[in-house]
Amino acid sequence: MKWLVIGISGPTCSGKTSLAKKLHDNIQDSILMSQDTYFLSEDNPKHSFISELNHFNWEILSSLDMSKMYSDIINIIQSAPDAYSVDLNRKFRCFIIEGFLIYNYKPIAQLCKQKYFIEISKETCSNRRKTRVYNPPDVPEYFNKIVWPEYLKHKSEIILDTNLYKTITFLDGNKSLNELYDVIKHEIE
């Protein structure tokens, strides 16, 4: 069985998870994996501590177990199709990977045949993030001093990698979930 691996990325609170779930719910027999499930525990020594904020930096690759995520993806892809597939007559299956740093980790970026990146403004991102509950919770100034600057740094890395950049479809995060879904669904079909 062949796999169509779809990546959905963008800044925090850009709608990645909602879009990925909508795709997963509407593409029969698809698999969805979220990068958020690979955050390291708070007691992990790999975390980068920000003394000024008395808080860890959760916005960088070292806060995630990316090698485990990659290994899990490969294990699923290499498993016998009948272990995961309902319809063995299909020519391919969709594997949807969503996360804010999936394209900054080359092994996963290279697996993604369809790459999407949702863009939103700093103001929109900040307003949406204020409505979310995080564990551990954001400390004051975390968004302005860490979240947004790290996002800009990670996006810059993507842009500077011209081979990667030209393979990504950038989506306007101000559009509705249905509009974003329609763009991807149309390209998949």
Side-chain angles (χ1 to χ4, degrees), residues 17 45 49 66 70 73 101 149 156:
T17 303
F49 188 73
M66 295 303 292
Y70 177 74
I73 293 167
L101 289 175
S156 176

Side-chain angles (χ1 to χ4, degrees), residues 1 3 21 29 35 40 43 49 60 64-65 69 74-75 82 84 86 90 105 123 145 147 156 166 177 179-180 182 184:
M1 168 140 335
W3 290 88
K21 284 181 180 176
D29 206 21
Q35 187 177 43
L40 300 173
D43 60 351
F49 188 73
I60 53 179
L64 297 148
D65 190 345
M69 183 178 184
I74 294 300
N75 286 338
D82 58 351
Y84 294 99
V86 174
R90 291 187 68 164
Y105 188 73
E123 180 182 2
K145 291 188 175 190
V147 175
S156 176
K166 66 184 177 184
L177 177 61
E179 289 175 296
L180 297 177
D182 288 343
I184 297 176

Side-chain angles (χ1 to χ4, degrees), residues 10-21 34 36 39 59 98-100 118 120 124-139 142-143 147 173 177:
T12 179
C13 302
S14 60
K16 300 177 301 294
T17 303
S18 297
L19 181 55
K21 284 181 180 176
S34 175
D36 284 355
F39 275 109
E59 314 307 314
E98 70 90 7
F100 70 113
I118 303 172
I120 57 174
T124 300
C125 187
S126 176
N127 289 338
R128 289 180 183 178
R129 189 159 174 117
K130 288 175 188 172
T131 66
R132 301 272 177 94
V133 177
Y134 290 92
N135 185 18
D138 285 354
V139 295
Y142 183 69
F143 180 84
V147 175
L177 177 61

